[in-house]
């Protein structure tokens, strides 16, 4: 079975631009979460979607937005990019939204802002 | 506030030996889950093992076991018979049930290097 897939793998943008990152969850998984991982740190929670509804939002500015589609895939959008947005963006999926269900991560999208 | 602390930035272990990676957590909620993930240099986050707050026994998955001491709020990962492929960054993470946000709180991570 295919795992969580993310695209693109790498992306280079300049300050002020916007970016869209995509994620396809494991088949049958209805919950998708997004994380930002700055070099040398643990991932930070950005959003969680379950059944196409936002269930959680981390401490990120409104420049960050996301949505989940009927097929449970998801997009993360970031507007007005800043140098500090350079990071590895990880998508994770799980069967349901409960503490006992492990989240399975994709390989991530490495975003570099010039 | 919920928090995960990993106090070992880096660890070395000889191949075939066992190693313990420390993790302490802080939460006021009775229902939570604790997870360990492995992140190789390539970047993907690999799920290793899970322990629920109400589980009576320590979790085990192959060479991985979780030493869960609820009163001390610790959830240390034990890797037995280390292999060269175990060299990676290891993250401890926690997820609380109330709120149902799906939010995982991660520690700062521990870099493990296995020596041949």
């Amino acid at each position: 079975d295919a795992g969580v897939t993310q695209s693109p793998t790498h992306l280079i943008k300049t300050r002020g631009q916007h970016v869209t990152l995509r994620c396809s969850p494991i088949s049958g998984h209805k919950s998708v979460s997004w994380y930002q991982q700055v070099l040398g740190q643990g991932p930070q929670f950005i959003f969680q979607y379950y059944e196409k509804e936002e269930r959680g939002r981390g401490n990120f500015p409104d420049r960050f937005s996301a949505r989940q589609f009927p097929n449970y895939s998801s997009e993360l959008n970031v507007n007005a990019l800043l140098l500090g947005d350079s990071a590895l963006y990880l998508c994770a999926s799980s069967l349901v939204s409960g503490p006992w269900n492990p989240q399975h991560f994709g390989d991530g999208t490495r975003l570099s802002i010039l | 506030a919920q928090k995960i602390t990993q106090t070992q930035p880096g660890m070395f272990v000889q191949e075939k030996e066992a190693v313990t990676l420390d993790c302490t957590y802080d939460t006021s909620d009775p229902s939570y889950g604790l997870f360990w993930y492995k992140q190789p240099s390539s970047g993907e986050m690999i799920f290793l093992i899970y322990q629920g707050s109400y589980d009576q026994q320590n979790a085990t998955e192959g060479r991985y076991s979780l030493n869960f001491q609820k009163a001390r709020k610790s959830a240390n990962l034990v890797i037995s018979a280390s292999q060269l492929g175990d060299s990676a960054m290891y993250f401890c993470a926690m997820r609380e049930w109330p709120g149902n946000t799906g939010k995982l709180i991660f520690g700062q991570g521990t870099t493990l290097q296995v020596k041949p």
Side-chain angles (χ1 to χ4, degrees):
Chain A
D1 288 341
V4 177
T5 57
Q6 292 186 243
S7 63
T9 306
H10 294 83
L11 203 51
I12 299 175
K13 292 285 188 179
T14 57
R15 284 177 295 175
Q17 287 188 311
H18 69 273
V19 67
T20 298
L21 310 181
R22 295 178 174 82
C23 171
S24 292
I26 293 171
S27 178
H29 285 194
K30 299 182 178 180
S31 174
V32 171
S33 298
W34 288 94
Y35 293 82
Q36 180 197 65
Q37 186 178 19
V38 175
L39 192 63
Q41 297 183 16
Q44 297 290 316
F45 174 75
I46 309 175
F47 286 110
Q48 189 223 0
Y49 278 78
Y50 179 66
E51 288 282 16
K52 302 179 286 296
E53 291 186 2
E54 181 183 303
R55 290 297 187 93
R57 174 184 285 254
N59 188 24
F60 280 81
D62 292 343
R63 299 185 295 108
F64 288 77
S65 63
R67 55 179 175 169
Q68 186 177 33
F69 299 98
N71 66 353
Y72 303 110
S73 67
S74 178
E75 284 182 354
L76 174 70
N77 295 283
V78 187
N79 294 324
L81 287 166
L82 302 174
L83 293 177
D85 295 332
S86 295
L88 178 67
Y89 288 84
L90 294 163
C91 173
S93 75
S94 62
L95 271 172
V96 293
S97 184
W100 55 86
N101 282 286
Q103 295 185 9
H104 298 272
F105 286 79
D107 290 351
T109 294
R110 291 190 184 274
L111 176 63
S112 298
I113 311 301
L114 302 180
Chain B
Q2 42 185 302
K3 186 179 180 181
I4 294 284
T5 302
Q6 295 180 254
T7 57
Q8 307 154 313
M11 291 279 287
F12 289 92
V13 65
Q14 206 67 34
E15 192 178 9
K16 299 181 184 177
E17 291 185 350
V19 62
T20 298
L21 306 183
D22 294 341
C23 171
T24 58
Y25 60 92
D26 188 20
T27 179
S28 56
D29 290 302
S31 300
Y32 52 89
L34 295 159
F35 303 82
W36 277 91
Y37 285 87
K38 171 185 178 182
Q39 188 176 41
S41 57
S42 50
E44 74 270 29
M45 195 75 75
I46 302 167
F47 166 69
L48 296 177
I49 196 167
Y50 161 80
Q51 181 83 43
S53 59
Y54 296 113
D55 293 342
Q56 296 297 314
Q57 293 185 326
N58 287 343
T60 60
E61 286 288 346
R63 294 187 299 111
Y64 304 108
S65 61
L66 202 153
N67 184 2
F68 181 48
Q69 298 187 43
K70 195 170 182 177
R72 298 179 61 182
K73 293 190 174 179
S74 74
N76 299 338
L77 176 70
V78 180
I79 305 175
S80 63
S82 296
Q83 302 172 357
L84 295 179
D86 293 334
S87 294
M89 177 78 87
Y90 288 81
F91 289 98
C92 180
M94 176 174 66
R95 188 174 180 184
E96 294 178 340
W97 175 231
N100 194 20
T101 67
K103 176 181 180 181
L104 271 175
I105 304 294
F106 284 85
Q108 290 291 91
T110 295
T111 301
L112 177 65
Q113 293 191 36
V114 181
K115 295 181 175 180

